[in-house]
Amino acid sequence: MTVFAPALDCGYHRAGLCHSCTRIDDAYDAQLARKQLGAEAAAPGAAWLAPHASAISAFRNKAKMVAGGTVDAPTLGILDGERRGIDLRACPLHEQPIRDALPHLAALVTDARIPPYDVPERRGELKHVLVTASPDAELMVRFVLRSTEAVPRIAKRMDALRERIPGLVVASASILPEHKAVVEGDVEVPLTDRQSLTMRLNDVPLRLRPGGFFQTNSAVAAALYREAATWIDEVDPASVADLYCGVGGFALHAARPHRDVVGVETSAEAIAGAIETASAMGSSARFAVGDATAADDRTVDAALVVVNPPRRGIGALAARLEASAARHVVYSSCNPATLARDLAAMPSLRPVRARMFDMFPHNDHAEVLVLLERR
């Protein structure tokens, strides 16, 4: 009998400290096969391409670290069952620049005397430290705080912190006073002059601002955008509407001089980043803040519509696309279950091609790209 080794040997997992990677004990080929079966079940009529695999370690471009412990012994990682901090600074999933930066960020907590937030006691200041790495090894760091009380102490130490973390180019404080299970607040206090991180994928310099969404795996995201752009160029629509466009990844990869491209997204920060990128590229792609599900009929009637919704899927937008004039839809889904539901609500749009992109190794999540064509 063949015995397959685990995909990744993680000390935190072996010690029982972290259970986030629910499939880490499975061989990576087995992980891919399982995800491929789940993806194919969502769009059984499509011609399925081979899955796009990921690196099995150092692939995550973003660390969402919960602050715990004490001022003199802070932890950056997760909380245990009693809501106390477990330190995961050496998590092997994170890109190396993030792993290199986390000890310095923990040291700042002590140096600036920022009390980590104690969830059971509901006291303290620092809730999370969010770190994003660009493909060029630049970093964005966000300190999620209950108030602005510690901001002057952090600001005073920014020059020294940037000396210790040479790639640090964007820093801010996100203010979250409420005791609730969210990662960031509504108020952002800049700590550096620069407030956008350049995420260069396939020579498209996407701008990510604090609060903007970006795929967690840069290498696989680049492959996802390349594939979508290839499919779009093959059908060569005169107009493209990118709904749930985020920082404009699909729209800016699909933009061509002869093509009218528009992106819609609820996040003002993401749209600001998309506009900044379009300007830098000299692209005619346009972007607007708005609810994708309530996009105007002219947008939904574009020759090709791209949808990249959150896990809940596109909901009522499916019926509007079914009744629209769109000849093609490119659907990028992070949830095969809601993808299957949405495809069933668009029977006139037939799945013709699909591919699974392993954006999230070691768990059951998968990104699925499907090209739909009107019958």
Side-chain angles (χ1 to χ4, degrees), residues 21 28 31 35 54-56 59 93 217 358-363:
C21 295
Y28 188 56
Q31 292 184 33
K35 291 184 183 187
S54 170
I56 63 171
F59 60 83
L93 303 190
N217 188 322
D358 192 15
M359 201 77 69
F360 326 98
H362 315 311
N363 58 47

Side-chain angles (χ1 to χ4, degrees), residues 222-251:
L224 176 74
Y225 293 142
R226 285 196 305 270
E227 192 83 43
T230 297
W231 295 358
I232 292 168
D233 284 342
E234 285 178 3
V235 301
D236 198 20
S239 57
V240 172
D242 181 4
L243 307 182
Y244 312 91
C245 71
V247 297
F250 287 106

Side-chain angles (χ1 to χ4, degrees), residues 34 65 70 79 82 85 95 109 112 115 119 129 131 152 156 161-162 183 219 298 321 326 344 357 361-362:
R34 181 187 182 91
M65 311 302 280
T70 65
L79 300 179
E82 297 181 351
E95 292 185 9
V109 175
V119 174
V129 175
V131 188
K156 180 181 177 181
L161 187 64
R162 293 178 72 173
V183 176
R298 187 170 140 191
L321 288 172
F357 293 80
H362 315 311

Side-chain angles (χ1 to χ4, degrees), residues 95-116:
E95 292 185 9
Q96 193 60 50
I98 294 176
R99 293 179 64 179
D100 292 342
L102 288 172
H104 299 298
L105 296 170
L108 176 71
V109 175
T110 301
D111 186 42
R113 313 306 293 173
I114 313 169

Side-chain angles (χ1 to χ4, degrees), residues 1-323:
M1 182 179 71
T2 302
V3 178
F4 294 99
L8 179 65
D9 182 26
C10 172
Y12 297 123
H13 175 73
R14 277 190 284 105
L17 295 174
C18 179
H19 305 285
S20 298
C21 295
T22 57
R23 296 290 175 184
I24 198 170
D25 290 326
D26 296 342
Y28 188 56
D29 285 352
Q31 292 184 33
L32 279 182
R34 181 187 182 91
K35 291 184 183 187
Q36 181 72 8
L37 284 174
E40 290 180 3
W48 281 87
L49 303 177
H52 186 95
S54 170
I56 63 171
S57 65
F59 60 83
R60 281 192 66 95
N61 60 27
K62 186 169 186 177
K64 299 180 180 180
M65 311 302 280
V66 180
T70 65
V71 167
D72 292 310
T75 62
L76 296 178
I78 59 175
L79 300 179
D80 65 16
E82 297 181 351
R83 315 302 288 168
R84 305 297 181 183
I86 296 176
D87 196 88
L88 300 179
R89 285 179 234 174
C91 173
L93 303 190
H94 296 139
E95 292 185 9
Q96 193 60 50
I98 294 176
R99 293 179 64 179
D100 292 342
L102 288 172
H104 299 298
L105 296 170
L108 176 71
V109 175
T110 301
D111 186 42
R113 313 306 293 173
I114 313 169
Y117 186 60
D118 185 314
V119 174
E121 299 294 330
R122 299 195 179 192
R123 65 186 181 198
E125 276 295 313
L126 181 64
K127 292 188 169 184
H128 301 91
V129 175
L130 311 178
V131 188
T132 304
S134 80
D136 298 325
E138 293 186 331
L139 295 176
M140 174 192 294
V141 175
R142 301 171 68 204
F143 302 94
V144 182
L145 302 164
R146 287 185 72 197
S147 74
T148 59
E149 185 271 334
V151 169
R153 299 197 299 280
I154 299 173
K156 180 181 177 181
R157 291 163 174 81
M158 279 305 304
D159 288 344
L161 187 64
R162 293 178 72 173
E163 286 182 8
R164 293 193 290 271
I165 308 175
L168 177 55
V169 295
V170 179
S172 63
S174 179
I175 311 304
L176 177 62
E178 299 92 346
H179 179 85
K180 59 183 181 181
V182 296
V183 176
E184 58 194 287
D186 296 328
V187 176
E188 203 78 22
V189 180
L191 293 166
T192 53
D193 292 336
R194 184 169 154 187
Q195 282 293 289
S196 67
L197 186 67
T198 301
M199 305 293 286
R200 197 178 311 279
L201 302 185
N202 307 314
D203 295 324
V204 177
L206 297 167
R207 281 1 185 238
L208 177 64
R209 298 172 65 87
F213 169 78
F214 202 86
Q215 297 282 9
T216 60
N217 188 322
S218 295
V220 177
L224 176 74
Y225 293 142
R226 285 196 305 270
E227 192 83 43
T230 297
W231 295 358
I232 292 168
D233 284 342
E234 285 178 3
V235 301
D236 198 20
S239 57
V240 172
D242 181 4
L243 307 182
Y244 312 91
C245 71
V247 297
F250 287 106
L252 290 163
H253 277 80
R256 302 290 182 267
H258 66 282
R259 189 175 293 157
D260 181 59
V261 177
V262 61
V264 178
E265 165 65 45
T266 57
S267 168
E269 287 296 314
I271 289 296
I275 292 171
E276 187 180 343
T277 305
S279 176
M281 294 177 65
S283 172
S284 61
R286 296 169 288 113
F287 297 92
V289 177
D291 181 357
T293 60
D296 62 58
D297 290 339
R298 187 170 140 191
T299 300
V300 174
D301 283 337
L304 184 146
V305 177
V306 179
V307 291
N308 181 28
R311 289 187 59 77
R312 64 178 178 272
I314 62 174
L317 180 59
R320 296 188 63 206
L321 288 172
E322 170 68 11

